[in-house]
Amino acid sequence: MDIDTDDLLEAIEEITTATTDEEPTTPEAETEEEELEDETNPPPLRAAQRLALHTADAHPTGHFPHTVEDIHLTALQGHGYARLDDDGDAWVITQKGSRRALSEDRLPLVILPATARLDLSEYPAEWIEDGEPVHADELYTVDSPEDDAEPAPARLRTISNFDNLYVQAEELVANPNEEIRFLSLVHGLVAPDDRLMPYVVAPNDVLISRESLHAQAHQDQLTGRQVTVLGSEAVHQMIATIWPDAVHVFAGADH
């Protein structure tokens, strides 16, 4: 069969022109396509990894706390959600990680004020005699002993009602020890299962600063939580310096 040389040359020219007109695929374009596909079908994350993302995203400079395990940081790095900073000695969240954090529901956290005692006699006598630490959920909710000869002061009687506030907090969460914190002006944020020695608050005691409270909340991976505050307006105002969107659902007296 005879082949027309002119036709063959024309066909080759058309193929060459079509190929030349196509946009070249750059590594950057391929990366963007991969990221878009990844965000459309995001990889599954463990609960600890989601919590770490929320915590880093809430930090002013995007740093992960030192309490995040290396295995989770490595996994987040593999997904493009975390990287080492320029000095190579701290982990920070990436823009992609921030977008993933925003797409995930935040874990709940209920914060309520800790009861402050001015004298050790306000605790059960056996606690003082034993000299052993006590679980915080008992320390902050136990009724104060009352003298039968005269009524207890009003401030002490309010402590006996504090147990109702803790019950209300328990009703809001699934895991009290993970999702409830007492706000102590001495110890900061205290979990119900934390063990503390009975203590008193004296007028000249150095109380925890907002800066220290914020640092503690970051290391405990609490700053990325959705917070509900049970307490007075004063408690809410202190909490709002760390969690500006905290929900205030109870306005009572501070104890």
Side-chain angles (χ1 to χ4, degrees):
M1 181 177 70
D2 294 335
I3 298 177
D4 190 312
T5 304
D6 292 337
D7 290 342
L8 180 60
L9 291 174
E10 185 177 344
I12 292 173
E13 183 178 354
E14 288 178 357
I15 293 172
T16 304
T17 302
T19 304
T20 304
D21 289 342
E22 289 181 1
E23 284 283 339
T25 302
T26 63
E28 291 80 5
E30 290 179 353
T31 301
E32 289 179 6
E33 289 178 6
E34 290 173 0
E35 287 188 357
L36 287 173
E37 182 179 353
D38 185 35
E39 292 182 20
T40 304
N41 301 291
L45 296 177
R46 296 183 179 182
Q49 294 163 2
R50 288 195 298 273
L51 183 59
L53 277 182
H54 282 137
T55 304
D57 194 48
H59 191 267
T61 57
H63 280 78
F64 288 88
H66 300 305
T67 49
V68 180
E69 296 181 15
D70 288 343
I71 188 173
H72 298 312
L73 290 169
T74 302
L76 292 172
Q77 182 186 38
H79 297 315
Y81 298 152
R83 65 174 179 83
L84 284 169
D85 66 5
D86 295 338
D87 296 329
D89 56 6
W91 288 89
V92 294
I93 193 170
T94 63
Q95 291 184 353
K96 183 179 177 182
S98 290
R99 291 195 297 271
R100 179 65 189 269
L102 288 174
S103 71
E104 297 282 348
D105 292 335
R106 292 185 292 168
L107 291 174
L109 179 67
V110 179
I111 297 177
L112 58 161
T115 52
R117 319 277 176 141
L118 302 183
D119 194 280
L120 290 177
S121 64
E122 296 177 26
Y123 293 106
E126 59 269 23
W127 288 7
I128 308 304
E129 294 170 2
D130 292 343
E132 296 291 336
V134 181
H135 283 132
D137 57 353
E138 297 179 70
L139 187 74
Y140 293 133
T141 61
V142 67
D143 287 351
S144 297
E146 294 185 14
D147 188 342
D148 294 335
E150 55 184 76
R155 191 185 69 80
L156 299 190
R157 291 200 299 273
T158 62
I159 292 176
S160 67
N161 296 324
F162 189 79
D163 185 52
N164 295 329
L165 197 62
Y166 182 58
V167 170
Q168 184 180 353
E170 286 184 305
E171 292 173 350
L172 295 176
V173 300
N175 188 338
N177 196 53
E178 293 295 326
E179 300 168 350
I180 290 178
R181 291 295 183 273
F182 296 100
L183 175 60
S184 164
L185 296 180
V186 175
H187 297 287
L189 296 164
V190 182
D193 276 0
D194 286 350
R195 296 176 67 87
L196 302 173
M197 292 295 296
Y199 66 95
V200 298
V201 179
N204 295 327
D205 281 351
V206 177
L207 304 181
I208 192 167
S209 66
R210 284 189 172 91
E211 292 75 17
S212 296
L213 189 65
H214 199 165
Q216 180 193 28
H218 179 65
Q219 291 303 323
D220 289 349
Q221 300 187 56
L222 301 174
T223 48
R225 304 289 192 99
Q226 180 61 58
V227 172
T228 300
V229 182
L230 303 183
S232 71
E233 182 59 30
V235 173
H236 178 236
Q237 288 179 2
M238 186 171 185
I239 292 302
T241 63
I242 302 175
W243 294 274
D245 61 348
V247 178
H248 187 206
V249 298
F250 179 87
D254 292 338
H255 310 313

